[in-house]
């Protein structure tokens, strides 16, 4: 029986952090034996924020090395760079003909990124809190009225179409991503259904998030607020050395401690405990939850325990990254193999999509 197709990607916007690792990369590694896995570096998506060209290339290379160092085996999984698959931009153009500007403008990630580009992001706003709904009209006016030196580029608006194409072109049904990507997956399903029903075909399957049966992960920042993210400036990176990592954890925001037995756990402490849970240490997590409940918890101990678990997880990965980066030949071979594999299926899907849409050769 053929294996189910899996696809996921990470934007090349900087080093990978624990959000990327626990939300995505760790699952990629675990899925390799049981699924037809396709993992990529979303360098075209990274262009939506107009990165420096030299930096973009360095980032792509670094993330390839991080994927490999974390345990992606290029013999088992197709590991490729998005821009090495030119079928993706072509299908992106075709699919855009079935995507509404309105639905793209209402996407939370677009709202947040557009406001950032215009310098009008609300204090404390994140992708999750940039709600769709009541402020749509004002938002639209801001975009249309934006001066040209602060424009919101069209690539940012059509970001979800490109992401949908990444998935649909491989006909993937399982997409291991963190919670922050779920709205994009919902749009992908909607675009797939719309294409199928418009042309009366059963062509694109509908993809779903996958986390081994558990809910999607949201890795919190250590600043007591929302998620860990590059633009939030609150990341622990896989390449952080133990000293830096310990320092970041020890500086995590806490509070004055529980005042009475069995009170609900406060948000900053819940964040630390949920990180500990992600380290697969349920007994340690429970120990600190019990200590919180009877008011004997010492936050210093919690932070130290968490830092040590994180050091244990990241050290072997960090150690391998530099060796892999030095081996240009290996990197090149790995992504060439991945691109060949990804292109084989992508060109077949594109060919059929063109046919379905009536673009035929004489
Ligand atoms: P990106 O590059 O922002 O993040 C890559 C992956 O890391 C996950 N992630 C998190 N998970 C939990 N908690 C966090 N704090 C956290 N921060 C990041 C993300 O959920 C994601 O799984 N649009 C995507 C890239 C993409 C893609 C695709 C993904 C492009 N095409 C097709 C899947 C399929 C993005 O920007 O991810």
């Amino acid at each position: 029986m053929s294996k189910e197709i899996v696809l996921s990607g990470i934007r090349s916007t900087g080093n990978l952090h624990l959000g990327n690792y626990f939300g995505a990369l760790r699952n990629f590694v675990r899925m390799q034996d049981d699924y037809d896995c396709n993992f990529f570096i979303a360098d075209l998506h990274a262009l939506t924020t107009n990165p420096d060209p030299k930096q973009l290339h360095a980032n792509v290379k670094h993330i390839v090395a991080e994927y490999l160092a974390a345990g992606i085996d290029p013999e088992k999984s197709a590991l490729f760079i998005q821009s090495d698959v030119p079928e993706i931009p072509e299908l992106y153009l075709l699919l855009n003909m079935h995507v509404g500007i309105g639905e793209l403008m209402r996407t939370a990630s677009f709202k947040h990124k557009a406001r950032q580009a215009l310098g009008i992001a609300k204090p404390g706003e994140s992708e999750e809190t940039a709600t769709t709904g009541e402020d749509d009209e004002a938002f639209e006016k801001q975009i249309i009225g934006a001066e040209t030196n602060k424009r919101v580029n069209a690539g940012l608006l059509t970001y979800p179409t490109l992401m949908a194409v990444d998935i649909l072109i491989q006909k993937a049904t399982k997409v291991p991503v963190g919670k922050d990507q779920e709205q994009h997956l919902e749009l992908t399903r909607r675009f797939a259904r719309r294409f199928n029903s418009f042309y009366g075909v059963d062509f694109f399957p509908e993809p779903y998030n996958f986390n081994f049966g558990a809910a999607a992960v949201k890795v919190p920042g250590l600043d007591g607020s929302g998620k860990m993210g590059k633009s939030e400036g609150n990341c622990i990176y896989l390449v952080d050395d133990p000293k830096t990592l310990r320092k970041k954890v020890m500086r995590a925001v806490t509070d004055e401690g529980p005042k009475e037995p069995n009170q609900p756990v406060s948000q900053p402490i819940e964040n630390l405990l949920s990180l500990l849970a992600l380290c697969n240490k349920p007994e340690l997590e429970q120990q600190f939850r019990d200590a919180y409940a009877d008011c004997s918890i010492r936050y210093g101990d919690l932070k130290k325990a968490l830092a040590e678990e994180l050091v244990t997880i990241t050290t072997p990965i960090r150690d391998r990254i530099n060796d892999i980066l030095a081996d240009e030949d290996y990197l090149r071979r790995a992504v060439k193999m991945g691109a060949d594999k990804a292109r084989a299926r992508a060109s077949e899907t594109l060919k059929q999509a063109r046919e379905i849409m009536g673009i035929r050769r004489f």
Side-chain angles (χ1 to χ4, degrees):
M1 218 178 79
S2 62
K3 291 176 174 175
E4 243 184 300
I5 302 171
V6 169
L7 175 122
S8 195
I10 299 180
R11 260 175 316 152
S12 46
T13 46
N15 293 331
L16 299 190
H17 52 78
L18 292 182
N20 302 133
Y21 182 70
F22 289 124
L25 188 53
R26 182 166 69 166
N27 282 348
F28 300 176
V29 176
R30 289 177 179 168
M31 294 178 88
Q32 291 188 101
D33 288 320
D34 301 323
Y35 297 94
D36 173 344
C37 286
N38 302 268
F39 301 122
F40 72 103
I41 290 114
D43 58 343
L44 298 176
H45 275 106
L47 286 177
T48 55
T49 46
N50 302 134
D52 170 71
K54 275 205 196 87
Q55 192 58 51
L56 177 63
H57 181 68
N59 282 344
V60 169
K61 210 168 136 190
H62 204 270
I63 296 186
V64 175
E66 291 185 293
Y67 266 106
L68 294 166
I72 296 296
D73 177 349
E75 301 279 346
K76 289 183 186 162
S77 303
L79 172 58
F80 63 98
I81 298 163
Q82 190 181 28
S83 60
D84 280 342
V85 183
E87 290 80 5
I88 293 173
E90 186 174 339
L91 187 62
Y92 159 71
L93 183 142
L94 298 179
L95 190 66
N96 258 331
M97 307 306 165
H98 290 281
V99 171
I101 297 177
E103 61 192 338
L104 293 174
M105 282 190 74
R106 287 191 296 272
T107 309
S109 61
F110 175 67
K111 279 199 165 176
H112 180 53
K113 292 217 168 74
R115 285 197 188 112
Q116 275 181 329
L118 297 177
I120 53 168
K122 298 170 188 166
E125 177 186 286
S126 69
E127 283 184 24
E128 326 168 296
T129 56
T131 46
T132 49
E134 77 288 353
D135 62 348
D136 283 351
E137 220 173 292
F139 176 66
E140 207 175 300
K141 279 203 187 117
Q142 285 165 338
I143 300 277
I144 292 171
E147 292 167 24
T148 46
N149 64 344
K150 271 193 182 166
R151 70 193 171 274
V152 176
N153 71 59
L156 201 56
L157 180 67
T158 53
Y159 185 113
T161 317
L162 183 56
M163 176 157 164
V165 167
D166 293 329
I167 300 166
L168 300 177
I169 207 164
Q170 297 297 338
K171 302 228 171 146
T173 47
K174 287 196 160 42
V175 183
V177 282
K179 191 160 175 44
D180 60 322
Q181 296 298 315
E182 290 206 311
Q183 192 178 24
H184 289 149
L185 272 186
E186 209 178 296
L187 284 171
T188 303
R189 289 192 288 275
R190 197 197 294 168
F191 299 160
R193 275 197 300 273
R194 187 177 296 158
F195 184 97
N196 290 347
S197 88
F198 186 88
Y199 295 106
V201 289
D202 183 13
F203 186 58
F204 289 127
E206 291 186 34
Y208 288 87
N209 196 355
F210 178 80
N211 184 23
F212 294 93
V217 169
K218 175 187 151 188
V219 177
L222 293 181
D223 44 4
S225 62
K227 68 161 187 168
M228 184 176 289
K230 284 164 216 161
S231 50
E232 279 76 13
N234 59 4
C235 294
I236 293 180
Y237 294 99
L238 291 180
V239 289
D240 281 344
D241 59 67
K243 198 168 149 213
T244 309
L245 193 155
R246 287 191 184 103
K247 218 153 113 196
K248 285 185 179 176
V249 176
M250 294 316 283
R251 271 204 239 119
V253 169
T254 52
D255 53 24
E256 289 172 348
K259 296 273 181 293
E260 25 180 290
N262 300 316
Q263 73 179 63
V265 179
S266 64
Q267 194 56 55
I269 307 309
E270 192 58 56
N271 289 352
L272 295 176
L273 290 169
S274 68
L275 269 170
L276 204 49
L278 286 166
C279 297
N280 294 331
K281 287 285 157 178
E283 59 311 323
L284 208 53
E285 183 200 351
Q286 194 52 51
Q287 185 189 313
F288 285 108
R289 282 197 189 277
D290 293 344
Y292 192 94
D294 68 17
C295 302
S296 67
I297 191 163
R298 293 198 338 210
Y299 291 157
D301 292 347
L302 169 60
K303 288 177 175 180
K304 268 193 211 130
L306 175 60
E308 289 325 301
E309 292 306 324
L310 293 174
V311 167
T312 306
I313 290 173
T314 55
T315 298
I317 301 176
R318 194 186 51 254
D319 285 349
R320 283 193 290 267
I321 290 175
N322 285 336
D323 287 348
I324 293 173
L325 266 180
D327 194 346
E328 293 257 354
D329 227 36
Y330 175 53
L331 288 174
R332 214 173 296 122
R333 259 186 296 127
V335 295
K336 164 85 173 58
M337 220 161 38
D340 289 347
K341 235 159 137 183
R343 284 198 71 181
R345 188 146 46 207
S347 61
E348 192 49 42
T349 308
L350 177 62
K351 196 172 115 213
Q352 291 171 7
R354 288 174 60 121
E355 277 280 318
I356 291 169
M357 294 177 83
I359 299 176
R360 296 187 190 138
R361 295 248 149 74
F362 287 112

